[in-house]
Amino acid sequence: MRKLTVIFLLLITMIVGLTGFAGFFVEERVDSIVITSKYLQVELGKDGNLQKVSHMLGRAYLFYVNDNDGFDLFDSQGEKLSVATPTYHIQYAERSKDSKDSYESVKVIFNYENGIEKVYSFDKRFYTYTFDVEIHSPEEIKVALPLIWDKSTIRSAVNFFVSFRPDRDYSSIVKFSGKLDQTHVVGKDFNFTVYMGPYKKVVVKHVFKEDYERLATLVKTIPGVGNWYSFISDGLNEFFSWINSFTKNFGLTIIIFTIIVRLVLYPFYHAQTKQMIQMRKLQPAVEAIKKKYKDPQKQQEELMKLYKENKINPSSGCLMLLIQLPIFMLLYGVIQSYQELFSVSPGFLIWKDLSTGGWANNWLFLVITIITSYYLALITSQDSRTAWQQILMGAIFPFFFISLPSGIFLYWTMNSIIQLGITYYIYKRYKIKGITHHELWGVQKKKA
């Protein structure tokens, strides 16, 4: 019955597997044109202005709405240009290899009656929240730059304009040509590189490259940027980037990064496992005390005496676990911060895009983690009941993350494999035996 329950739950959860979202799409609505990518959705009004921008990671989150600041046009005196609704046309490049309904790149071109042309360009950089805007005018005009919060979180320097949203860590970063006048740029011909999305340092660094240090210094002056542990996550990000500069492949980088970090954490895990093994050896004596002393206070006193005689601190195992948990959460955050860059990088082995999740991409990781949890249960369990409980948890838990990007699942899988190896080594070293396949499945060995 127990085995049938395991198989039933596995089948149910396998159906939940989701497929990833590939390519980016264009939809023409009554009043707007909507361009949607894996992570960002931009809505352009038929007046040629940026209307709305939503973050598409997880559920859609609208973080920008036009307030005369979506590359709206003004005359040299600051009065909004009363231009008629422009004509527009869309230039489509080749269709995406990932989906017949999506495109490799798209340009939306608006032409106004007074000779002004405004061009929005979306290509592969759209996966990293980036697109271009070009504006050409026969006369000098002003162009309003997008704001996603109030003016207290605006910063500008030379050719950069930053608007930061401190409540959700979103940013609008515009690199522009022309002369800045508060929140407008003045000139005739403009080129804008626009980044609108979560303020992820590694992604911003990828987009603006040689300008990043100058940009990062500027952003640091905005209140609400970063958190108290940013120096730790920033250091780990730098270390991850350093490894990637050698491997040139995020798959290999994740594997090497995980191995190095687990080796560094080995003393903590060893201490935790050693305590568990010692506690396990004392289990018969513990049961005897519980059977002998029914008074809770006396029972507790005798147990503490037993632990003291054997130099065991029952809480030290939990303490080691508490030390490791925040570190693993930080590591998860590091891998997750590179998710968008997986989309614009070469694949790894059979995975073309480590940013895409779902059953089709993560089934192999799923199988490996279930197998490792099975063998981990055999090594660490004393009876089949405990082993089945551990196997059940180890098999079900990864299915809840089937839609995660493959890069993150790769990190999870590497952790499982390394943990199995370390556990096998420690249990072997202390000569602790688990249970066999026959004991687990309740099958007797054949007599020789």
Side-chain angles (χ1 to χ4, degrees):
M1 185 66 186
R2 208 164 42 219
K3 297 162 193 171
L4 288 176
T5 305
V6 173
I7 294 169
F8 174 75
L9 289 173
L10 285 175
L11 288 174
I12 289 294
T13 46
M14 282 171 69
I15 298 171
V16 180
L18 303 172
T19 54
F21 181 95
F24 62 90
F25 302 83
V26 180
E27 178 188 0
E28 291 189 62
R29 298 177 180 173
V30 176
D31 297 322
S32 64
I33 304 156
V34 180
I35 298 93
T36 306
S37 77
K38 189 184 297 183
Y39 305 119
L40 198 67
Q41 184 179 79
V42 169
E43 184 172 343
L44 304 174
K46 292 287 180 73
D47 57 0
N49 299 326
L50 187 66
Q51 290 298 320
K52 297 176 182 175
V53 181
S54 301
H55 187 204
M56 305 299 288
L57 192 60
R59 65 175 185 172
Y61 179 74
L62 178 66
F63 66 95
Y64 166 82
V65 177
N66 184 286
D67 185 20
N68 297 321
D69 59 346
F71 300 101
D72 293 32
L73 307 177
F74 296 81
D75 63 22
S76 57
Q77 303 303 312
E79 296 294 327
K80 191 162 186 177
L81 286 176
S82 54
V83 291
T85 300
T87 59
Y88 77 92
H89 64 281
I90 303 174
Q91 290 182 356
Y92 296 96
E94 294 181 1
R95 291 186 182 275
S96 171
K97 296 175 183 176
D98 299 323
S99 171
K100 293 180 181 178
D101 297 324
S102 65
Y103 300 91
E104 297 287 346
S105 66
V106 168
K107 284 187 177 182
V108 184
I109 303 167
F110 294 91
N111 292 102
Y112 298 83
E113 288 183 348
N114 53 6
I116 298 175
E117 181 184 66
K118 188 187 292 186
V119 182
Y120 293 88
S121 301
F122 305 90
D123 54 28
K124 198 174 181 180
R125 293 175 302 149
F126 201 39
Y127 292 123
T128 55
Y129 311 108
T130 308
F131 57 95
D132 290 326
V133 183
E134 289 181 43
I135 299 174
H136 303 287
S137 170
E139 298 180 355
E140 186 172 273
I141 58 173
K142 290 185 175 182
V143 179
L145 301 177
L147 303 177
I148 60 173
W149 198 249
D150 60 37
K151 292 186 178 180
S152 66
T153 58
I154 290 174
R155 295 293 185 274
S156 59
V158 190
N159 58 343
F160 274 105
F161 179 85
V162 180
S163 174
F164 184 72
R165 182 167 179 160
D167 65 334
R168 298 291 293 266
D169 281 346
Y170 283 95
S171 60
S172 170
I173 303 172
V174 181
K175 184 179 181 180
F176 59 87
S177 63
K179 182 182 176 183
L180 187 66
D181 179 11
Q182 297 185 356
T183 60
H184 298 71
V185 181
V186 184
K188 291 183 178 180
D189 296 304
F190 308 87
N191 291 294
F192 302 98
T193 300
V194 185
Y195 175 96
M196 296 187 78
Y199 183 66
K200 286 190 170 187
K201 293 180 182 178
V202 294
V203 182
V204 172
K205 187 175 185 178
H206 171 82
V207 171
F208 294 105
K209 296 183 174 66
E210 64 273 12
D211 293 314
Y212 173 72
E213 293 301 329
R214 186 161 57 92
L215 185 57
T217 304
L218 182 66
V219 174
K220 279 181 184 175
T221 64
I222 302 175
V225 175
N227 46 50
W228 65 269
Y229 58 85
S230 290
F231 71 98
I232 301 175
S233 52
D234 289 350
L236 288 170
N237 276 327
E238 288 296 326
F239 181 55
F240 188 90
S241 292
W242 180 75
I243 297 172
N244 196 59
S245 66
F246 292 102
T247 65
K248 309 293 183 187
N249 185 288
F250 278 114
L252 281 176
T253 302
I254 291 169
I255 292 173
I256 295 171
F257 179 77
T258 310
I259 291 172
I260 292 174
V261 173
R262 286 305 300 256
L263 287 175
V264 172
L265 290 176
Y266 174 76
F268 296 104
Y269 184 74
H270 180 233
Q272 179 195 348
T273 308
K274 188 178 175 183
Q275 284 288 320
M276 289 172 61
I277 291 172
Q278 289 174 325
M279 290 286 289
R280 184 169 157 177
K281 287 180 176 177
L282 284 180
Q283 199 57 33
V286 171
E287 292 299 327
I289 291 174
K290 287 181 178 177
K291 194 174 180 180
K292 184 176 180 180
Y293 300 99
K294 300 301 179 185
D295 178 52
Q297 187 175 353
K298 182 64 179 174
Q299 188 184 97
Q300 188 63 23
E301 287 175 1
E302 292 298 320
L303 285 173
M304 294 309 295
K305 186 178 175 183
L306 176 69
Y307 294 142
K308 190 175 181 181
E309 287 172 353
N310 289 276
K311 299 179 180 178
I312 293 176
N313 182 355
S315 61
S316 62
C318 295
L319 180 63
M320 294 302 170
L321 188 63
L322 288 175
I323 292 172
Q324 294 178 74
L325 275 177
I327 296 173
F328 283 123
M329 293 300 292
L330 272 172
L331 297 179
Y332 174 79
V334 170
I335 305 294
Q336 194 181 35
S337 66
Y338 284 83
Q339 181 176 337
E340 292 85 351
L341 298 187
F342 297 160
S343 303
V344 292
S345 303
F348 173 64
L349 299 178
I350 62 171
W351 295 273
K352 293 180 181 177
D353 182 357
L354 287 172
S355 71
T356 303
W359 171 251
N361 295 289
N362 288 336
W363 69 268
L364 184 56
F365 295 137
L366 205 61
V367 171
I368 294 173
T369 51
I370 290 173
I371 292 174
T372 53
S373 68
Y374 175 83
Y375 280 98
L376 198 61
L378 287 180
I379 294 171
T380 59
S381 300
Q382 292 177 285
D383 54 72
S384 62
R385 182 182 177 185
T386 310
W388 275 114
Q389 289 175 345
Q390 196 172 329
I391 290 170
L392 187 65
M393 290 301 296
I396 297 297
F397 199 59
F399 279 90
F400 291 108
F401 305 109
I402 191 69
S403 60
L404 284 177
S406 298
I408 295 177
F409 222 124
L410 173 60
Y411 164 71
W412 180 288
T413 305
M414 278 306 302
N415 260 313
S416 300
I417 295 172
I418 295 169
Q419 182 165 347
L420 176 63
I422 292 174
T423 305
Y424 176 79
Y425 168 73
I426 295 174
Y427 275 67
K428 193 86 173 173
R429 180 178 174 183
Y430 291 97
K431 299 178 180 177
I432 302 296
K433 291 184 178 179
I435 63 173
T436 64
H437 295 285
H438 291 88
E439 290 169 334
L440 178 68
W441 292 93
V443 179
Q444 288 188 345
K445 282 185 178 179
K446 291 181 180 178
K447 293 181 180 178

